[in-house]
C-alpha cells in the first residue's frame, strides 16, 4: 500500500514538472530575439529616454498654489518646477537656509531657461486653469 501511494505521488510530481517544462517552450519561441551588435554600446546615456527634473519652490501658504488641480500641476511641470508648501519645522526637517537656497537656485534656473518673465507667464496660465475649472482655492 505504501509503495502504491509512493508511486502515485512520484508520478504526480513528475507529470507536474513535465507540464511546466512543456508550457515554457512555446512562450520562449514566441518572444522576439534581439540582434546583438558588438559595436553598439547599450548602456550609454544617449539610449535612455530623457527625464525632466522637477525642481521645487517652497511657499508659506498654499493660496495661489492650486493643489489638486491637474491643469495647474501640468503648467508648473512644463515650466520645470512644482510648488511645495513650507510646513512647520519638525524633527528631521530641512533647515530654513536650505529651503531659501533651493528657492533661489530654482528661480535663477527658471530665469535663464524660461526667460525673465517666467513668473508672469505661470500666473497667467494658472488664471486660465482657475477659469476653466472653477477652482478658486486649489
Amino acid at each position: 500500500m505504501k509503495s502504491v501511494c509512493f508511486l502515485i505521488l512520484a508520478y504526480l510530481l513528475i507529470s507536474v514538472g513535465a507540464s511546466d517544462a512543456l508550457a515554457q517552450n512555446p512562450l520562449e519561441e514566441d518572444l522576439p530575439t534581439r540582434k546583438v551588435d558588438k559595436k553598439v554600446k547599450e548602456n550609454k546615456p544617449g539610449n535612455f529616454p530623457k527625464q525632466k527634473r522637477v525642481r521645487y519652490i517652497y511657499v508659506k501658504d498654499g493660496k495661489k498654489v492650486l493643489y489638486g488641480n491637474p491643469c495647474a500641476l501640468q503648467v508648473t511641470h512644463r515650466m520645470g518646477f512644482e510648488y511645495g508648501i513650507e510646513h512647520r519645522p519638525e524633527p528631521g526637517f530641512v533647515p530654513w537656509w536650505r529651503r531659501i537656497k533651493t528657492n533661489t537656485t530654482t528661480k535663477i534656473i527658471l530665469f535663464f531657461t524660461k526667460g525673465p518673465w517666467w513668473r508672469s507667464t505661470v500666473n497667467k496660465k494658472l488664471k486660465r486653469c482657475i477659469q476653466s475649472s472653477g477652482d478658486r482655492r486649489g
Side-chain angles (χ1 to χ4, degrees):
M1 184 71 177
K2 289 181 184 179
S3 62
V4 172
C5 290
F6 178 74
L7 289 174
I8 292 173
L9 181 65
Y11 175 75
L12 288 175
L13 290 176
I14 291 171
S15 65
V16 169
S19 66
D20 284 344
L22 291 175
Q24 290 178 359
N25 287 338
L27 179 65
E28 291 174 0
E29 291 173 1
D30 291 340
L31 292 176
T33 58
R34 196 169 81 188
K35 182 179 178 183
V36 178
D37 188 5
K38 293 181 180 179
K39 296 178 184 176
V40 176
K41 294 183 179 178
E42 294 181 2
N43 290 332
K44 67 179 191 177
N47 292 336
F48 294 107
K50 294 185 180 182
Q51 294 178 349
K52 191 173 186 181
R53 182 175 177 199
V54 177
R55 298 184 172 273
Y56 290 94
I57 296 178
Y58 295 103
V59 293
K60 289 192 176 184
D61 56 352
K63 290 182 180 177
K64 297 181 180 180
V65 175
L66 295 176
Y67 267 116
N69 191 337
C71 175
L73 193 62
Q74 285 178 355
V75 166
T76 56
H77 277 211
R78 282 188 202 136
M79 292 293 279
F81 74 97
E82 183 177 331
Y83 285 114
I85 297 178
E86 181 180 12
H87 298 286
R88 294 181 188 159
E90 299 173 0
F93 197 67
V94 180
W96 62 272
W97 56 269
R98 189 173 292 169
R99 289 191 298 270
I100 291 174
K101 184 180 99 172
T102 302
N103 286 353
T104 306
T105 55
T106 303
K107 290 176 182 178
I108 288 172
I109 289 170
L110 287 171
F111 179 83
F112 286 111
T113 58
K114 301 299 180 186
W117 308 108
W118 68 269
R119 189 179 306 232
S120 62
T121 305
V122 169
N123 288 337
K124 184 170 51 172
K125 290 180 181 181
L126 288 178
K127 284 181 184 178
R128 283 189 205 147
C129 289
I130 290 171
Q131 291 173 355
S132 66
S133 67
D135 188 10
R136 302 282 178 210
R137 279 297 298 244

